[in-house]
């Protein structure tokens, strides 16, 4: 019989070890990543055992009478043992609904893992969400390139990239001071274009970079004059790489600097044997409408749509 234990700090090593060996976990579920913003969320992560064997984890936070999986993470849902059976996942859902009812929680918001991050087929949760009457309340669209197939970068992107190469523009990665320079470019662009700011502060991102040096990389595109004109922050999840942030200066936009940068980065990870290149979502603030120019830019590199669903289950 499966039983549930709430995560506590003394279980950190067990939690992290499970994430690394799971069939759909990434470094975002490791406790050092989840807890960089612990002051913003009431952690309510759950661990599922069958006897003394850990079968699954649920990275989650509580807000009032609602459970979220997890509002501080890009994606979520159940993290699963490679050998867990479908019937056991069904029991996990049953036990969770019972547990949340006893805890006075009325709603469970379940942020499903995008399929490209699964190391093995892992959509059993879709079936059990349906069986439990879950409603899709949000469907964001992310764009991803299948790096295992032929690349379809538009001729125009290639033309701009090749022009900048001939002019002596260069690509740099994790050079001294690059992260701070990029954060200035990013912050200025977000403020002027959208009147917003990055989700992470530079201090938070530098701390995460120090904790995960093999997973977080900063790339920049530098003009012949030595100026940083654009950049991207990459999250490396072993089979998928994601552009967590992309931005350029006004001059970088004018010269199409990101065409050179992204063409280089995509080709690099393709040559390294990765499966997918994730450009992230292209949603307006209302989480309903698409930023069409942005998604068209991503499609120019051969990216196509992947659904990211948020479900709502009522606890009875």
């Amino acid at each position: 019989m499966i039983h549930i234990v709430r995560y506590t700090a003394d279980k950190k090593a067990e939690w992290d070890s499970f994430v690394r060996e799971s069939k759909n976990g990434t470094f975002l579920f490791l406790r050092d990543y989840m807890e960089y913003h612990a002051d913003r969320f009431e952690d309510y992560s759950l661990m599922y055992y069958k006897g003394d064997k850990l079968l699954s984890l649920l990275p989650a936070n509580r807000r009032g009478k609602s459970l979220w999986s997890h509002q501080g993470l890009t994606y979520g849902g159940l993290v699963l043992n490679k050998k867990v059976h479908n019937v056991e996942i069904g029991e996990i859902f049953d036990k969770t609904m019972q547990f949340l009812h006893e805890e006075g929680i009325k709603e469970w918001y379940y942020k499903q893992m995008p399929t490209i991050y699964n190391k093995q087929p892992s959509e059993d949760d879709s079936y059990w969400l349906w069986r439990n009457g879950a409603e899709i309340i949000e469907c964001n669209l992310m764009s991803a390139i299948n790096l295992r197939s032929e690349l379809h970068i538009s001729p125009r992107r290639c033309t701009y990239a090749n022009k900048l190469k001939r002019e002596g523009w260069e690509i740099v990665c994790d050079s001294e001071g690059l992260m701070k320079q990029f954060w200035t470019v990013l912050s200025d662009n977000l403020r002027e274009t959208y009147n917003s700011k990055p989700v992470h502060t530079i201090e938070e991102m530098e701390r995460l970079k120090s904790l995960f040096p093999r997973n977080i990389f900063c790339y920049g595109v530098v003009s012949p004059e030595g100026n940083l004109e654009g950049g991207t922050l990459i999250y490396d999840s072993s089979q998928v790489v994601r552009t967590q942030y992309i931005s350029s200066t006004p001059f970088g936009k004018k010269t199409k600097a990101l065409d050179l940068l992204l063409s280089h980065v995509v080709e690099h990870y393709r040559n390294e044997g990765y499966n997918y290149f994730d450009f992230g979502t292209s949603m307006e603030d209302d989480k309903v409408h698409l930023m069409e120019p942005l998604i068209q830019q991503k499609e120019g590199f051969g990216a196509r749509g992947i659904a990211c669903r948020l479900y709502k289950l009522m606890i009875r």
Side-chain angles (χ1 to χ4, degrees), residues 37-220:
H37 48 26
D39 58 319
R40 302 181 207 168
F41 302 99
E42 178 189 354
D43 189 87
Y44 215 82
S45 298
L46 305 179
M47 305 176 74
Y48 301 85
Y49 293 87
K50 190 169 188 177
D52 60 356
K53 180 182 179 182
L54 186 56
L55 289 182
S56 180
L57 307 172
L58 181 68
N61 68 282
R62 181 171 181 171
R63 179 164 290 181
K65 294 186 177 182
S66 300
L67 184 77
W68 292 79
S69 64
H70 177 298
Q71 287 179 290
L73 299 177
T74 305
Y75 40 73
L78 292 169
V79 183
L80 298 165
N81 179 300
K82 291 177 181 176
K83 296 182 179 180
V84 68
H85 298 293
N86 178 278
V87 172
E88 292 172 324
I89 296 171
E91 187 179 349
I92 285 171
F93 271 89
D94 289 343
K95 293 292 184 180
T96 304
M97 302 287 275
Q98 179 183 343
F99 176 84
L100 297 182
H101 174 77
E102 293 169 355
E103 292 291 306
I105 292 173
K106 304 298 184 183
E107 301 163 335
W108 178 11
Y109 293 90
Y110 187 98
K111 190 187 298 182
Q112 195 172 36
M113 190 81 164
T115 55
I116 61 173
Y117 284 88
N118 296 331
K119 300 179 185 72
Q120 298 177 2
S122 187
E123 292 188 81
D124 302 79
D125 59 350
S126 294
Y127 172 76
W128 291 107
L129 286 161
W130 172 71
R131 276 284 300 270
N132 283 280
E135 172 191 4
I136 297 175
I137 62 169
E138 195 173 284
C139 184
N140 294 335
L141 191 68
M142 60 183 258
S143 303
I145 302 172
N146 183 347
L147 298 177
R148 297 169 298 180
S149 64
E150 183 181 355
L151 294 182
H152 294 284
I153 299 177
S154 75
R156 187 174 64 171
R157 303 281 178 213
C158 295
T159 298
Y160 287 131
N162 291 332
K163 177 178 182 292
L164 295 183
K165 279 183 188 177
R166 291 194 300 270
E167 292 175 355
W169 290 62
E170 295 183 346
I171 306 300
V172 294
C173 178
D174 284 351
S175 55
E176 184 68 27
L178 178 61
M179 180 84 81
K180 277 191 169 67
Q181 292 179 61
F182 173 59
W183 229 250
T184 299
V185 171
L186 174 67
S187 300
D188 289 349
N189 186 37
L190 289 176
R191 183 180 63 253
E192 294 167 11
T193 307
Y194 303 107
N195 193 29
S196 64
K197 58 185 179 180
V199 173
H200 303 84
T201 65
I202 181 59
E203 293 78 16
E204 287 173 337
M205 189 49 65
E206 287 185 326
R207 179 170 180 269
L208 288 172
K209 169 71 172 163
S210 70
L211 290 169
F212 300 99
R214 297 182 179 180
N215 300 101
I216 299 175
F217 300 92
C218 188
Y219 286 85

